[in-house]
Amino acid sequence: MNSKPIIVAPSVLACDFNRLEAECVRIEKAGADWLHLDVMDGHFVDNISFGPPVVQSIAKIATVPLDTHLMIERPDHFFPRFVPYVNNITIHVEPDYDIGNTLKGIRAAGATCGLAISPPTPFEKVEPYLDQIDLLLVMTVNPGFGGQSFIEPMMAKVMRAAQLRTERALEFHIEVDGGINSNTAAIARECGANVMVAGTDIFRAQDAALAIEELRE
Ligand code: DX5
Ligand code: ZN
């Protein structure tokens, strides 16, 4: 089912923020392919994480691509403040704004674009945009907090995405985010996901390199 190489994207949300630079360096050395940056605004989700100044600081030291997940009410308004510093920007399908134009704007500014779907949202909401995206993020927890349990029924969305990608001869990555560990990553890979986001499993592991390797194989 999986034709693309597996990409592991540790979520910086789970790092020790007192040691942000050292944590990014440690996790890159452990084999991270991308760093996943979770931006939360306290409106779209019930949590506030970090914004442009922290993303810029990470961009100064990072040596791997930055994958930015905007869990915010107005991605159309805020993406320009992130786009110069990162490689990919993923926006959610749920808030009320012009999604098509925002995806175009992100690409025009030189980044790749992703679209994210939360667990309660039907897959049909993302279907019209599949030919305009570089990545589809299927959320496997309700967005807002790290450390939650994987919602396995979301694998139906991953399989549907992989099927439509083949039918329409598209190339987008399929990313899963939330409750990913060696067991759930194996399930997600089997269903067709190729980008594994994990916070707790990697940053809190005794051996981060081993944790990353186990998400890949
Ligand atoms: C949740 C975030 C995730 C989160 C994953 O809203 O989008 O990226 O950090 O954390 P774990 O891997 O701990 O579930
Ligand atoms: Zn995320």
Side-chain angles (χ1 to χ4, degrees):
M1 193 89 192
N2 230 315
S3 49
K4 287 177 174 290
I6 303 299
I7 292 166
V8 178
S11 167
V12 167
L13 191 65
C15 85
D16 174 358
F17 283 109
N18 279 310
R19 309 172 63 252
L20 182 56
E21 178 173 9
E23 285 283 79
C24 291
V25 170
R26 174 173 78 87
I27 241 62
E28 285 187 3
K29 279 194 181 137
D33 298 301
W34 300 350
L35 288 178
H36 182 83
L37 308 180
D38 286 306
V39 174
M40 305 179 184
D41 68 349
H43 293 279
F44 178 63
V45 290
D46 188 27
N47 198 3
I48 300 174
S49 57
F50 50 77
V54 172
V55 170
Q56 286 176 35
S57 300
I58 294 172
K60 280 188 194 141
I61 53 138
T63 62
V64 298
L66 297 179
D67 173 32
T68 311
H69 177 194
L70 297 184
M71 285 164 274
I72 65 178
E73 203 58 47
R74 292 295 308 274
D76 53 333
H77 179 71
F78 282 107
F79 84 81
R81 310 217 199 151
F82 295 95
V83 82
Y85 309 101
V86 302
N87 302 79
N88 180 71
I89 294 195
T90 295
I91 59 178
H92 267 263
V93 74
E94 292 85 9
D96 185 17
Y97 64 103
D98 189 334
I99 294 168
N101 251 334
T102 307
L103 292 170
K104 279 191 201 122
I106 294 168
R107 276 186 172 172
T112 59
C113 65
L115 189 60
I117 178 168
S118 292
T121 307
F123 186 80
E124 291 66 40
K125 283 270 281 182
V126 298
E127 280 192 29
Y129 305 104
L130 294 180
D131 62 350
Q132 299 174 51
I133 59 176
D134 302 293
L135 178 151
L136 181 73
L137 168 48
V138 176
M139 289 302 299
T140 44
V141 297
N142 287 302
F145 296 89
Q148 305 182 74
S149 299
F150 181 74
I151 305 174
E152 189 161 343
M154 295 305 114
M155 292 304 98
K157 291 179 185 172
V158 170
M159 287 188 280
R160 179 77 180 133
Q163 181 193 13
L164 287 176
R165 184 176 61 186
T166 305
E167 280 176 21
R168 299 186 190 175
L170 297 170
E171 285 293 332
F172 57 85
H173 295 288
I174 302 176
E175 180 176 69
V176 285
D177 181 6
I180 298 297
N181 56 40
S182 58
N183 296 324
T184 57
I187 298 169
R189 290 194 310 264
E190 188 61 31
C191 293
N194 71 294
V195 185
M196 307 292 137
V197 175
T200 312
D201 183 71
I202 296 173
F203 278 94
R204 309 288 159 87
Q206 289 284 354
D207 182 343
L210 180 65
I212 289 173
E213 211 34 59
E214 285 178 349
L215 298 185
R216 215 189 288 286
E217 67 196 15

